[in-house]
Amino acid sequence: MRIGVLTSGGDCPGLNAVIRSVVHRGVVDHGDEIIGFVDGWRGLLEEDYRALTLDSVSGILAQGGTILGSTRVQPSKLREGVPAAKAMCERLGLDGIIPIGGEGTLKAARMLSDAGLPIVGVPKTIDNDIACTDVTFGFDTAVSVATEALDRLKTTAESHQRVMVVELMGRHTGWIALNAGMAAGAHAIVVPERPFDIEKLSRVVGERFERGKKFAIVVVAEGAKPEPGTMEWEQGSIDIYGHERFAGVATRLSGELERRLGKEARPVILGHVQRGGTPTAYDRILATRFGWHAVEAVHKGAFGHLTALQGTDINLVPLAEAVADLKTVPAERYAEAETVI
Amino acid sequence: MRIGVLTSGGDCPGLNAVIRSVVHRGVVDHGDEIIGFVDGWRGLLEEDYRALTLDSVSGILAQGGTILGSTRVQPSKLREGVPAAKAMCERLGLDGIIPIGGEGTLKAARMLSDAGLPIVGVPKTIDNDIACTDVTFGFDTAVSVATEALDRLKTTAESHQRVMVVELMGRHTGWIALNAGMAAGAHAIVVPERPFDIEKLSRVVGERFERGKKFAIVVVAEGAKPEPGTMEWEQGSIDIYGHERFAGVATRLSGELERRLGKEARPVILGHVQRGGTPTAYDRILATRFGWHAVEAVHKGAFGHLTALQGTDINLVPLAEAVADLKTVPAERYAEAETVI
Amino acid sequence: MRIGVLTSGGDCPGLNAVIRSVVHRGVVDHGDEIIGFVDGWRGLLEEDYRALTLDSVSGILAQGGTILGSTRVQPSKLREGVPAAKAMCERLGLDGIIPIGGEGTLKAARMLSDAGLPIVGVPKTIDNDIACTDVTFGFDTAVSVATEALDRLKTTAESHQRVMVVELMGRHTGWIALNAGMAAGAHAIVVPERPFDIEKLSRVVGERFERGKKFAIVVVAEGAKPEPGTMEWEQGSIDIYGHERFAGVATRLSGELERRLGKEARPVILGHVQRGGTPTAYDRILATRFGWHAVEAVHKGAFGHLTALQGTDINLVPLAEAVADLKTVPAERYAEAETVI
Amino acid sequence: MRIGVLTSGGDCPGLNAVIRSVVHRGVVDHGDEIIGFVDGWRGLLEEDYRALTLDSVSGILAQGGTILGSTRVQPSKLREGVPAAKAMCERLGLDGIIPIGGEGTLKAARMLSDAGLPIVGVPKTIDNDIACTDVTFGFDTAVSVATEALDRLKTTAESHQRVMVVELMGRHTGWIALNAGMAAGAHAIVVPERPFDIEKLSRVVGERFERGKKFAIVVVAEGAKPEPGTMEWEQGSIDIYGHERFAGVATRLSGELERRLGKEARPVILGHVQRGGTPTAYDRILATRFGWHAVEAVHKGAFGHLTALQGTDINLVPLAEAVADLKTVPAERYAEAETVI
């Protein structure tokens, strides 16, 4: 068979591991021919691709980034490109296309699948917010990097007798904040799913100081916001270079806590460090399994699905289900983390 | 309520995280009193315990080892101690006992539970071979440490143009070998569940060299053995100091491969490094959740169970089920790893 | 002998290793009695101290922070406190005082030494800007953490085809930026010692893109500034919570590069992660050696000195020399790093 | 100019960083042409080389191993090859040859230099035993890896109430054992430079248990041996596959300590993990500086020298001095480590 693979959207540790796995499983076990589209959907639309051999993927398992490149393409442009994509698919004799990407990519994948292209998606996001799969690769790496940073910040917060407000990735969901906060023993965790009450948050942190502790770590997801009416809040702004600045939540919270508690507080914005670099063992395994099962799905003709981790199994789930809703932090999970204060 | 906790068996990253979580959930959320038995079952039998307060568990989340200590107690001794344990349990007014341990510990826990003690077990093993739970804490750390070692060994194997045969932990099951081997891109993985055929193994490695590659990494679980009749094999021996030496599999395999392939081969036995030290973020989270849910189980009176990860949920499973069978690597999982050669 | 030790100033990986080493060398080898002043100079001025035994320092070698605490004291307050400090020193029968701290601390140490107190200083700064010593502990850890972050950011910059401008610590000197930038292969390194020419910097980065590269990493020390007259620049500002905001250099540079190059550019401010947490092996060894030699110096009566690494030896250097000038990045060192573009 | 570079001898983290630096400095700053000999001296003798461009060295800074390969060549074969090497050097128009290697390589380099070839050596060894340079790259990585392993083993030794005897690399010198032992707080450190007295060693460890401690870590360099007459000792043996087995020191010591102390003791042999994989930031910087200065030396015509770190400077030292003696652990350094018990 002839199978195309592409990576789309932001960086995510494990992308290369998926690509490598698709090539290994396809070439070695099935005798497939694998091609890689360059720069995601752009490569597909512009028929820009290259052959992927065992040599092409030698040594990439532990490498961050993607050897295929990745650019963002407007959904509208992709929509217009569907007929051309179908034609190209026939011209190249593709038996399957495996797009690896996040929510946007999977929506695009669904569109192409509905149009009749032989698509098997592989979900990718460090944010862990794709429904139907227990976890996505990249997430464990992001949580590990954030946890290591929090471990380090703790000793500084303690030495300087400060509140540290640490902003982690997560515009819509708080998975990274929840898990890294729990792993590092943060004293409060603020996630977008639960608008915070600044009074209560301030009280929780204050009580810690009253118990004789000399520092506190507050972990906050970048998309967190206050309960309406409890605090002035206009998140995001356009800076002089025209970038929307989403950050700010750590800086705002840190300022508020300092003012209310009379304790020195400082924001730390961990940023892009969370989304790149070598994947953890966990993510390499998950990515490798996803790639393996995506090739199997193509061989079975199970198009219109994506690979998903459910328990310890990799199952195939209809694309339609995966893109329906964002997977948010449920109340029970948040309750577990709240204890750890 | 008054709850006792103890750790039993070998070292495992995450033990302290469970203890800390039991104390946090118990003391902060329920107003419980928590006591810790010293040195596992010995502390229980000899009524050697100490109060665990929030201060006792401050700063231990990321620490390896166990602040409570752990010794091995003969099952027979524990059996004889059941009446005394019951008496002590009443005398101390214990509403629940949370033993954290591996297969042996959970069997003991079941015996005590059957005798009427209020037991909620927490499974612990770096080997990941306890049934009913998708994963145990400590396993991710072991796999991460092994993967890091394999990453390093690869460049040396390549520079020296060698076969490296790396022995990882796993006397009865090959989970660590399977996962670390997959994460590091080993060229062959040998597990106890699938007795190896030395001819075939040698051929697989030899073909790699024929394809122009200059090195190979073979990962082998310490309990791996050849298919009966394919190779002389008498595993284990008693050394001059009276220790049974289980190792040897890497050394034996390495020698055989060198002889058959005419390539330099070297064994590396990673050893205890895999089972100690600071837990990964993943293991800290899992351990923390287990502790949290164990306390909940005591409050619900769900005795005779252990905490288990199933998908993304922590569920309670009867002790009887957990100790029935060892969880071995299934054929499908091994097949996924075989591709990655 | 009776020896006091204290830690002063900001967090720095290795402080606990020095304390431990002072106690080990003093107690075990000399039979000394060691006391630790709480919260730096404050403890000395207020006679707030505690005995340090082998048990007090058990397990702290690899821990970040300082078990003795650390607060900032106004130099004027310390100056007024000299007579009281002398009286206390006699009352407690102190044969030596070992302050561990940065430039400010060492200046205070010199003042006390000039006033006749038996002082042996231990230099401490992650910034590596103390003269007379080749390196200070904490620096290797800071560089390692920053390098790891840069390694991760590289794959993201490449995937997203961006310029990343990464701000590292260093208000007055560029040692961390120089070394981390060199270790991670940054494409431009901007340090306070060499005011940058935005035109030239922009050209260097632009040429990289012209050579077909799709991303660039610019490392900038927080204290970097442009050559006068080449760019509008008013560094630092007071935010609404009254904090002086020193940052800004990465944000400013990133904006400028984006505007000039027409390439997406993003700032990353690594922040406090660089200054806390467990020390590297290198820093633990250096800190341990400093503590050992500080105790020796007290026993030899070599007061008014600080411990310094020179080549592979630890020597004693007069405090006066150490505090005379900041150690800045010399032109030759910067030249080595410039090549690596 | 036209410059050849080659790597020779065992794996060592930082080799690729030197190669990259030679290419960067040569090509970018001097407009040189750089060629790389394949598989060390073999490539030189057989005229097997390839051009090294900026692209050839892209992304290799942090990679372990060597992109040029490395094999061992008999000194006699190299001696016979000198005339041919000279002829080749002229035929290729080489203005300089930069061999990167350990003691054996530098001796060979000296021979070629004496024969009139334009040689500038770069010292390489994880063992840190080359005279004239304060440190060699690879050493910091080896110490870091060993320290991390020791950190992990400590918690297991403590949980299992054991003596762990950990064998680290170092056949002739104890630098890795000394530094890793010091960094990890080992309770005894045994190096080849100081033959051990088993009675005294046993007493030191025994006293630790008498003080109430429940475990001990003994670090031993693989080349350590007992004082003559204090213990039966026949180190090394030939196993059934014909390999000389140098190990054994940890196993022997562990057995002896167990017998004498009546405490469980276990050997751990860390092995090749210490010599491969990604270099630390420290080693990447040192390797990069060595490469830079080696190119400078060629341009200055300073042949017959090697690059050496002395204090914070890279100086050129005659090859003759460097290969005269092995740099062993001096008594003062060992004394510092002995304290830390």
Side-chain angles (χ1 to χ4, degrees):
Chain A
M1 287 197 172
R2 195 166 203 221
I3 302 175
V5 60
L6 63 86
T7 52
S8 178
D11 195 16
C12 182
L15 287 171
N16 280 329
V18 182
I19 297 168
R20 171 181 175 276
S21 180
V22 165
V23 173
H24 276 207
R25 180 61 175 168
V27 172
V28 179
D29 298 344
H30 290 295
D32 294 337
E33 189 189 343
I34 311 292
I35 63 168
F37 291 104
V38 178
D39 290 341
W41 296 118
R42 190 197 62 71
L44 186 105
L45 293 178
E46 302 178 7
E47 214 167 315
D48 183 2
Y49 66 88
R50 53 195 175 90
L52 291 178
T53 63
L54 290 178
D55 276 348
S56 326
V57 298
S58 179
I60 70 169
L61 171 56
Q63 279 178 18
T66 159
I67 58 165
L68 290 176
S70 165
T71 40
R72 288 170 203 272
V73 167
Q74 295 300 328
S76 60
K77 206 169 161 193
L78 196 60
R79 210 170 303 122
E80 292 160 19
V82 171
K86 284 193 71 167
M88 177 225 51
C89 191
E90 275 166 40
R91 200 164 48 249
L92 296 182
L94 288 183
D95 301 292
I97 298 174
I98 302 176
I100 311 165
E103 209 207 343
T105 304
L106 296 176
K107 279 187 179 153
R110 192 191 168 192
M111 188 177 66
L112 291 172
S113 176
D114 288 350
L117 279 91
I119 301 275
V120 175
V122 170
K124 175 229 71 163
T125 165
I126 61 157
D127 292 327
N128 195 35
D129 57 6
I130 293 178
C132 298
T133 183
D134 288 356
V135 196
T136 39
F137 64 86
F139 176 63
D140 187 66
T141 304
V143 170
S144 297
V145 169
T147 300
E148 243 182 84
L150 289 168
D151 283 351
R152 291 200 173 274
L153 290 169
K154 261 187 151 171
T155 79
T156 300
E158 188 165 15
S159 294
H160 296 201
Q161 310 199 356
R162 261 183 203 170
V163 180
M164 289 268 195
V165 181
V166 188
E167 183 172 316
L168 300 182
M169 283 190 162
R171 289 195 187 173
H172 306 295
T173 62
W175 287 106
I176 293 176
L178 180 84
N179 274 26
M182 201 181 222
H187 308 106
I189 298 172
V190 183
V191 299
E193 290 88 342
R194 309 258 300 194
F196 62 89
D197 176 340
I198 185 69
E199 301 257 349
K200 192 186 155 204
L201 182 64
S202 173
R203 196 171 59 240
V204 164
V205 176
E207 281 167 5
R208 186 174 150 82
F209 282 95
E210 280 160 26
R211 283 200 307 273
K213 298 289 183 178
K214 295 190 164 160
F215 76 105
I217 301 286
V218 176
V219 168
V220 54
E222 57 182 336
K225 42 193 172 315
E227 279 181 28
T230 58
M231 187 182 166
E232 273 186 76
W233 195 263
E234 65 307 359
Q235 203 185 0
S237 62
I238 306 298
D239 72 16
I240 56 164
Y241 302 104
H243 293 304
E244 190 176 3
R245 290 182 49 193
F246 267 90
V249 58
T251 310
R252 294 293 302 275
L253 260 184
S254 161
E256 279 297 318
L257 290 173
E258 178 159 315
R259 198 171 59 77
R260 286 164 185 261
L261 294 168
K263 300 278 174 193
E264 206 179 66
R266 286 286 181 284
V268 175
I269 298 152
L270 202 54
H272 281 81
V273 178
Q274 295 160 82
R275 72 173 317 124
T278 191
T280 58
Y282 184 97
D283 281 338
R284 298 189 206 170
I285 296 163
L286 183 56
T288 298
R289 297 184 72 195
F290 274 0
W292 198 95
H293 284 272
V295 172
E296 290 312 288
V298 169
H299 278 266
K300 284 181 206 147
F303 302 117
H305 289 79
L306 55 74
T307 56
L309 179 72
Q310 297 181 327
T312 58
D313 296 328
I314 309 291
N315 295 324
L316 296 174
V317 176
L319 281 165
E321 281 182 38
V323 300
D325 280 308
L326 226 49
K327 181 178 67 182
T328 54
V329 174
E332 315 85 73
R333 289 300 307 276
Y334 190 71
E336 293 169 6
E338 260 193 323
T339 312
V340 194
I341 271 166
Chain B
M1 287 198 173
R2 196 168 202 219
I3 301 174
V5 61
L6 64 87
T7 53
S8 179
D11 195 17
C12 182
L15 287 170
N16 280 329
V18 183
I19 298 169
R20 172 180 174 276
S21 180
V22 165
V23 172
H24 276 206
R25 180 61 175 170
V27 172
V28 178
D29 297 344
H30 291 294
D32 294 336
E33 190 189 342
I34 311 292
I35 64 169
F37 291 105
V38 178
D39 290 341
W41 296 117
R42 190 198 62 71
L44 186 106
L45 292 178
E46 302 178 7
E47 214 167 316
D48 182 2
Y49 66 89
R50 55 197 175 88
L52 291 178
T53 63
L54 291 178
D55 276 348
S56 326
V57 298
S58 179
I60 69 169
L61 171 56
Q63 279 177 19
T66 159
I67 59 165
L68 291 175
S70 165
T71 41
R72 288 171 202 271
V73 167
Q74 294 300 327
S76 61
K77 207 168 161 194
L78 196 60
R79 212 170 302 123
E80 291 160 20
V82 171
K86 284 193 70 167
M88 176 225 52
C89 190
E90 275 167 38
R91 199 163 49 247
L92 296 182
L94 288 184
D95 301 292
I97 298 174
I98 301 175
I100 311 165
E103 208 208 344
T105 304
L106 296 176
K107 278 187 178 151
R110 192 190 166 192
M111 187 178 65
L112 291 172
S113 175
D114 288 350
L117 280 90
I119 302 276
V120 175
V122 171
K124 174 229 73 162
T125 167
I126 61 156
D127 292 327
N128 195 34
D129 57 5
I130 293 177
C132 298
T133 184
D134 288 356
V135 196
T136 40
F137 64 86
F139 176 63
D140 187 66
T141 304
V143 170
S144 297
V145 169
T147 300
E148 243 183 83
L150 290 168
D151 283 351
R152 291 200 172 275
L153 290 168
K154 261 186 151 172
T155 78
T156 300
E158 188 166 14
S159 294
H160 297 200
Q161 311 199 356
R162 262 183 202 169
V163 180
M164 288 267 196
V165 182
V166 188
E167 183 172 315
L168 300 182
M169 283 190 162
R171 290 194 188 174
H172 306 295
T173 62
W175 288 106
I176 293 176
L178 179 83
N179 274 26
M182 200 181 222
H187 309 106
I189 297 173
V190 184
V191 299
E193 289 88 342
R194 309 258 300 196
F196 62 88
D197 175 340
I198 184 70
E199 300 257 351
K200 190 185 155 205
L201 182 63
S202 173
R203 198 173 55 243
V204 164
V205 175
E207 282 166 4
R208 186 174 150 81
F209 282 95
E210 280 160 27
R211 282 201 306 274
K213 299 290 183 176
K214 296 190 164 160
F215 75 104
I217 301 285
V218 176
V219 168
V220 53
E222 56 182 337
K225 41 193 173 315
E227 278 182 28
T230 58
M231 185 182 167
E232 273 186 74
W233 196 263
E234 69 298 7
Q235 201 184 3
S237 62
I238 306 298
D239 72 16
I240 56 163
Y241 303 103
H243 293 305
E244 190 176 2
R245 289 182 51 194
F246 267 91
V249 58
T251 311
R252 294 295 300 275
L253 261 184
S254 161
E256 279 296 317
L257 290 173
E258 179 160 314
R259 197 171 61 76
R260 286 164 185 261
L261 294 168
K263 300 277 174 192
E264 206 178 65
R266 286 285 181 282
V268 175
I269 298 152
L270 202 54
H272 281 81
V273 177
Q274 295 159 82
R275 71 173 318 124
T278 192
T280 57
Y282 184 96
D283 281 338
R284 298 189 206 171
I285 295 162
L286 182 56
T288 298
R289 296 184 72 194
F290 274 180
W292 198 94
H293 284 273
V295 171
E296 290 313 289
V298 170
H299 278 266
K300 283 182 207 147
F303 301 117
H305 289 78
L306 57 73
T307 57
L309 179 73
Q310 296 181 329
T312 58
D313 295 328
I314 309 292
N315 295 324
L316 296 174
V317 176
L319 281 167
E321 282 181 39
V323 300
D325 281 308
L326 226 49
K327 181 177 66 182
T328 54
V329 174
E332 314 86 73
R333 289 300 307 277
Y334 191 72
E336 293 169 6
E338 260 192 324
T339 312
V340 193
I341 272 167
Chain C
M1 288 198 172
R2 196 168 203 220
I3 302 175
V5 60
L6 63 86
T7 53
S8 178
D11 195 15
C12 182
L15 287 170
N16 281 328
V18 182
I19 297 169
R20 172 180 174 277
S21 180
V22 166
V23 173
H24 276 207
R25 180 62 175 168
V27 172
V28 178
D29 297 344
H30 291 295
D32 295 337
E33 189 189 341
I34 311 291
I35 64 169
F37 291 104
V38 179
D39 289 344
W41 297 118
R42 189 197 62 70
L44 185 106
L45 293 177
E46 302 178 6
E47 215 168 313
D48 183 3
Y49 66 89
R50 54 196 176 88
L52 292 178
T53 63
L54 290 178
D55 276 349
S56 324
V57 297
S58 179
I60 70 170
L61 171 56
Q63 278 177 19
T66 160
I67 59 165
L68 291 176
S70 166
T71 42
R72 288 171 202 269
V73 167
Q74 294 301 325
S76 61
K77 208 170 161 194
L78 196 59
R79 211 171 302 124
E80 292 160 20
V82 171
K86 284 193 71 169
M88 176 225 53
C89 191
E90 275 166 42
R91 200 164 49 249
L92 296 182
L94 288 184
D95 301 292
I97 298 174
I98 301 174
I100 311 164
E103 208 208 343
T105 304
L106 296 176
K107 278 187 179 153
R110 192 191 167 191
M111 188 176 67
L112 291 172
S113 176
D114 288 350
L117 279 91
I119 301 276
V120 175
V122 171
K124 174 229 73 164
T125 166
I126 61 157
D127 292 327
N128 195 36
D129 56 6
I130 292 178
C132 299
T133 184
D134 287 357
V135 196
T136 40
F137 64 85
F139 176 62
D140 187 67
T141 305
V143 170
S144 297
V145 169
T147 300
E148 243 183 83
L150 289 168
D151 283 350
R152 292 201 171 274
L153 290 168
K154 261 186 150 171
T155 78
T156 301
E158 188 165 14
S159 294
H160 296 200
Q161 310 197 356
R162 261 182 203 171
V163 180
M164 288 268 195
V165 182
V166 187
E167 183 172 316
L168 301 182
M169 282 191 165
R171 290 195 187 174
H172 306 295
T173 61
W175 288 106
I176 294 176
L178 179 84
N179 274 25
M182 201 181 223
H187 308 105
I189 298 173
V190 184
V191 299
E193 289 88 342
R194 310 257 301 194
F196 62 88
D197 175 340
I198 184 70
E199 300 258 348
K200 190 186 155 204
L201 183 63
S202 174
R203 198 173 57 241
V204 165
V205 175
E207 282 166 5
R208 188 176 149 81
F209 282 95
E210 280 159 26
R211 284 200 305 273
K213 299 291 182 174
K214 296 190 164 160
F215 75 105
I217 301 284
V218 176
V219 168
V220 54
E222 57 181 337
K225 42 194 172 315
E227 278 182 28
T230 58
M231 185 182 167
E232 272 187 75
W233 195 264
E234 57 324 344
Q235 202 184 0
S237 62
I238 307 297
D239 73 15
I240 56 163
Y241 302 104
H243 294 305
E244 190 177 3
R245 289 182 50 192
F246 267 90
V249 59
T251 311
R252 294 294 300 275
L253 262 185
S254 160
E256 279 297 317
L257 290 173
E258 178 159 317
R259 198 171 58 76
R260 285 164 184 263
L261 295 168
K263 300 278 173 191
E264 204 178 67
R266 285 286 181 282
V268 174
I269 298 153
L270 202 55
H272 280 81
V273 177
Q274 295 160 82
R275 71 173 319 124
T278 192
T280 57
Y282 185 97
D283 281 338
R284 298 189 207 170
I285 294 163
L286 182 56
T288 298
R289 295 184 73 196
F290 274 180
W292 197 94
H293 284 273
V295 171
E296 290 313 288
V298 169
H299 277 266
K300 285 182 205 146
F303 302 116
H305 289 79
L306 55 73
T307 56
L309 179 72
Q310 296 181 328
T312 58
D313 296 328
I314 309 292
N315 295 324
L316 295 175
V317 176
L319 281 166
E321 283 181 38
V323 300
D325 280 308
L326 226 48
K327 182 178 67 184
T328 53
V329 175
E332 314 85 72
R333 290 298 308 277
Y334 190 70
E336 293 168 7
E338 261 192 323
T339 312
V340 194
I341 271 163
Chain D
M1 288 198 172
R2 197 167 202 219
I3 302 175
V5 61
L6 63 86
T7 53
S8 178
D11 195 16
C12 181
L15 287 171
N16 281 328
V18 182
I19 298 168
R20 172 181 174 277
S21 180
V22 166
V23 173
H24 276 206
R25 179 62 175 168
V27 173
V28 178
D29 297 345
H30 291 294
D32 295 336
E33 189 189 342
I34 312 290
I35 64 169
F37 291 104
V38 178
D39 289 342
W41 296 118
R42 190 198 62 72
L44 185 105
L45 292 178
E46 302 178 6
E47 215 168 315
D48 183 2
Y49 65 89
R50 54 197 175 89
L52 292 177
T53 63
L54 291 178
D55 276 348
S56 324
V57 297
S58 178
I60 70 170
L61 170 56
Q63 278 178 20
T66 159
I67 59 164
L68 291 176
S70 166
T71 41
R72 289 171 202 270
V73 168
Q74 294 301 326
S76 61
K77 207 169 161 193
L78 196 59
R79 212 170 302 124
E80 292 160 19
V82 170
K86 284 192 71 168
M88 176 226 53
C89 191
E90 275 166 41
R91 200 164 47 249
L92 297 182
L94 287 184
D95 301 292
I97 299 174
I98 301 175
I100 311 165
E103 208 207 344
T105 304
L106 296 177
K107 279 186 178 152
R110 193 190 165 191
M111 188 177 64
L112 291 172
S113 177
D114 288 350
L117 279 91
I119 301 276
V120 175
V122 171
K124 173 229 75 164
T125 167
I126 61 156
D127 292 327
N128 195 35
D129 56 7
I130 292 179
C132 299
T133 183
D134 287 357
V135 197
T136 39
F137 64 85
F139 176 63
D140 187 66
T141 305
V143 170
S144 297
V145 168
T147 300
E148 243 183 84
L150 289 168
D151 283 352
R152 292 202 172 272
L153 289 169
K154 261 186 150 171
T155 78
T156 300
E158 187 166 14
S159 294
H160 296 200
Q161 310 197 357
R162 262 182 202 171
V163 180
M164 288 268 195
V165 181
V166 188
E167 183 173 315
L168 301 182
M169 283 191 163
R171 289 194 188 173
H172 307 295
T173 61
W175 288 106
I176 294 175
L178 179 85
N179 273 27
M182 200 182 223
H187 308 104
I189 298 173
V190 184
V191 298
E193 290 88 342
R194 310 257 301 194
F196 62 89
D197 175 340
I198 184 71
E199 300 259 347
K200 192 187 153 203
L201 183 63
S202 174
R203 197 172 57 243
V204 163
V205 176
E207 281 166 6
R208 189 176 147 82
F209 282 95
E210 280 159 26
R211 284 201 305 274
K213 298 290 182 176
K214 296 189 164 160
F215 76 105
I217 301 285
V218 176
V219 168
V220 54
E222 57 181 336
K225 44 194 169 314
E227 279 182 27
T230 58
M231 187 182 167
E232 273 186 73
W233 196 263
E234 64 307 359
Q235 202 183 0
S237 61
I238 306 298
D239 73 15
I240 56 165
Y241 301 105
H243 294 304
E244 190 177 1
R245 289 182 51 193
F246 267 88
V249 58
T251 311
R252 295 294 300 274
L253 262 185
S254 160
E256 278 298 316
L257 290 174
E258 178 160 315
R259 198 171 58 77
R260 285 164 185 263
L261 295 168
K263 300 278 173 192
E264 206 178 66
R266 286 285 182 284
V268 175
I269 297 152
L270 203 54
H272 280 82
V273 178
Q274 294 159 83
R275 72 173 319 123
T278 191
T280 58
Y282 184 97
D283 281 338
R284 298 189 207 171
I285 295 163
L286 182 56
T288 298
R289 295 184 73 196
F290 274 0
W292 197 94
H293 284 272
V295 172
E296 290 313 287
V298 170
H299 278 265
K300 284 182 206 146
F303 301 116
H305 289 79
L306 56 73
T307 56
L309 179 72
Q310 297 181 327
T312 58
D313 295 329
I314 309 293
N315 295 325
L316 296 175
V317 176
L319 280 166
E321 282 181 39
V323 300
D325 280 309
L326 225 50
K327 183 178 66 183
T328 54
V329 174
E332 314 85 73
R333 288 300 307 278
Y334 191 70
E336 293 169 8
E338 261 193 322
T339 313
V340 194
I341 272 164

